[in-house]
Amino acid sequence: MPNDIFYDTHMKNKPTSYGRMPGIPDGKDLKRKLLRGMLRLRLIEERLSAIYHQADEIKTPMHLYTGQEAVAVGVCAALRPSDTVSPYHRSHGWYIAKGGDLNAMMAELMGKEAGCSGGWGGSMHLLDTAAGVMGSSSILAATVPHAVGAALAFQMKGEDRVAVAPAGDAAIEEGVFHESLNWASFKKLPVIFVCENNLYSTTTPLSARQPRVDIYKRAEAYGMPGHRCDGNDVGGVYAKAVEAVHRARRKEGPSLIEVMTYRWREHVGPHYDWDAGYRTKQEVEEWMEHCPIRALAAEFPAQEVQLLRDEFEKEIDESLAFARQAAFPRKETIKESIRV
Ligand SMILES: Cc1ncc(C[n+]2csc(CCOP(=O)(O)OP(=O)(O)O)c2C)c(N)n1
């Protein structure tokens, strides 16, 4: 097992080591909201997995979010519409959880003009500023300073808004990540750094890349609070995000939240990849057993969950139909899409 340290921490000490919250504090309405958010996201990703190769209508590489839903949904539930997120290459979860338009995302994946980036960007470059999704990027950690810049603008304008900088565990190895934490802490900016630690950078485990494995402790070096929480516990993620949002709104500065999570499918693409040799089928299946959605759905009547599924499947059908009938952008317009 290449990831012994994490595997043990995740699977054996799960309830105590991440400060799991006993239930979700705000009651049934919040639970329903979180369940809706995660289930919708799961069904979107699973449908994309199913159709990806069939007609080759989605040309863009896709880094699917299946398994990680509790992170974006838990954090975004703690935000206001006026707050922003600056996602990275595993972007669908943040785009959808923050309220990005589904039709525009589907059209973007198919390279259509009605896409949220005009059809020029694809899965890794999603943008919906009306929803506070400030544009994702395929370059590791590239959007982290964007979130810091947004937070600086909020502070300078006296706006009561918070910026979120999601990043994978490999982004922590980029210099700009550390520059961003340093500056944000120095200026007490209203920004939340969220590290989605899914244990791997493509196929390389964290333990083969970093001398210390506790990412959340990096926060201490920059004088900000660092927390770790269980990414299969959406209530725990939400609670940590609320704490960080309150701190940011009180003008006390940034926080770093490391969420221990797991991607079920391959790094890029729709398949399961336990044959690739870097992780075992057993490891993947054990994470699937701790599915964040199944645990929460069990608290609701099965009929209610089925109705939600039906509602979302219909919405996905409609958004795919919208994307399929949409036009491709004309190549003459490519220069109009470039802003300097
Ligand atoms: C600056 C930079 N270096 C390398 C890459 C190639 N690359 C793309 S995804 C990836 C791994 C990303 O891992 P992580 O940040 O943990 O996110 P995950 O894909 O696991 O969600 C790498 C190394 C890149 N896109 N940008």
Side-chain angles (χ1 to χ4, degrees):
M1 177 86 47
N3 248 333
D4 279 347
I5 306 165
F6 303 106
Y7 191 74
D8 284 353
T9 318
H10 275 275
M11 308 309 298
K12 310 234 169 75
N13 303 325
K14 194 166 77 85
T16 49
S17 59
Y18 304 139
R20 192 175 207 278
M21 301 299 288
I24 297 170
D26 296 0
K28 206 79 179 173
D29 285 349
L30 175 62
K31 282 190 178 181
R32 189 170 281 113
K33 179 178 167 181
L34 295 172
L35 175 63
R36 282 183 66 90
M38 290 197 295
L39 189 59
R40 181 165 175 257
L41 199 41
R42 172 69 57 86
L43 295 177
I44 291 167
E45 296 297 71
E46 291 301 88
R47 181 72 74 87
L48 289 172
S49 302
I51 67 168
Y52 188 63
H53 286 305
Q54 271 176 5
D56 203 21
E57 58 194 347
I58 299 177
K59 305 284 184 194
T60 173
M62 288 193 308
H63 300 75
L64 292 162
Y65 205 62
T66 317
Q68 301 190 200
E69 296 87 354
V71 190
V73 169
V75 172
C76 289
L79 301 177
R80 295 176 186 158
S82 56
D83 297 328
T84 63
V85 298
S86 298
Y88 61 110
H89 58 273
R90 206 168 297 287
S91 56
H92 303 179
W94 292 94
Y95 176 92
I96 294 295
K98 188 64 181 62
D101 184 86
L102 181 60
N103 282 352
M105 183 179 110
M106 293 302 197
E108 188 60 39
L109 297 183
M110 292 189 192
K112 302 295 182 71
E113 194 167 18
C116 58
S117 299
W120 300 111
S123 163
M124 292 183 283
H125 303 102
L126 302 181
L127 175 78
D128 187 339
T129 50
V133 183
M134 303 312 283
S136 56
S137 166
S138 58
I139 307 301
L140 298 189
T143 49
V144 174
H146 295 180
V148 171
L152 180 61
F154 301 156
Q155 187 188 68
M156 289 172 76
K157 291 176 172 176
E159 293 176 351
D160 185 15
R161 298 168 73 187
V162 173
V164 174
D169 47 279
I172 284 22
E173 288 144 30
E174 297 295 328
V176 72
F177 180 84
H178 299 274
E179 294 170 49
S180 299
L181 265 67
N182 178 64
W183 183 246
S185 184
F186 179 67
K187 297 290 283 183
K188 288 198 178 350
L189 298 180
V191 55
I192 301 168
F193 301 97
V194 178
C195 175
E196 296 195 75
N197 185 351
N198 64 10
L199 314 179
Y200 296 97
S201 169
T202 314
T203 57
T204 312
L206 189 54
S207 52
R209 296 162 17 227
Q210 299 194 17
R212 53 187 298 177
V213 295
D214 37 17
I215 288 171
Y216 72 104
K217 289 189 183 164
R218 311 286 174 101
E220 196 188 331
Y222 298 107
M224 71 176 78
H227 304 285
R228 174 181 270 175
C229 61
D230 176 0
N232 287 329
D233 171 18
V234 68
V237 176
Y238 170 78
K240 285 287 174 237
V242 166
E243 214 176 300
V245 166
H246 282 164
R247 178 178 151 81
R249 293 206 201 285
R250 285 195 308 262
K251 305 189 194 317
E252 289 170 12
S255 307
L256 169 65
I257 305 174
E258 176 188 12
V259 188
M260 306 306 284
T261 186
Y262 201 79
R263 69 172 152 76
W264 289 11
R265 294 185 180 269
E266 61 192 328
H267 168 67
V268 50
H271 301 300
Y272 292 109
D273 68 348
W274 42 69
D275 293 336
Y278 72 99
R279 59 183 188 172
T280 62
K281 188 164 188 257
Q282 186 198 349
E283 184 181 299
V284 181
E285 284 176 348
E286 286 189 47
W287 278 92
M288 287 172 156
E289 269 172 41
H290 290 279
C291 170
I293 302 174
R294 201 196 310 157
L296 188 54
E299 297 186 33
F300 289 83
Q303 203 188 0
E304 184 177 341
V305 177
Q306 189 56 49
L307 282 174
L308 283 181
R309 284 182 167 278
D310 296 344
E311 176 193 331
F312 296 142
E313 294 289 11
K314 185 167 175 284
E315 184 196 9
I316 294 166
D317 286 341
E318 287 168 3
S319 66
L320 285 172
F322 169 82
R324 285 178 176 130
Q325 59 74 40
F328 285 106
R330 287 172 301 116
K331 65 174 186 289
E332 303 78 56
T333 65
I334 192 164
K335 283 193 184 147
E336 293 161 21
S337 323
I338 299 170
R339 283 174 218 150
V340 285

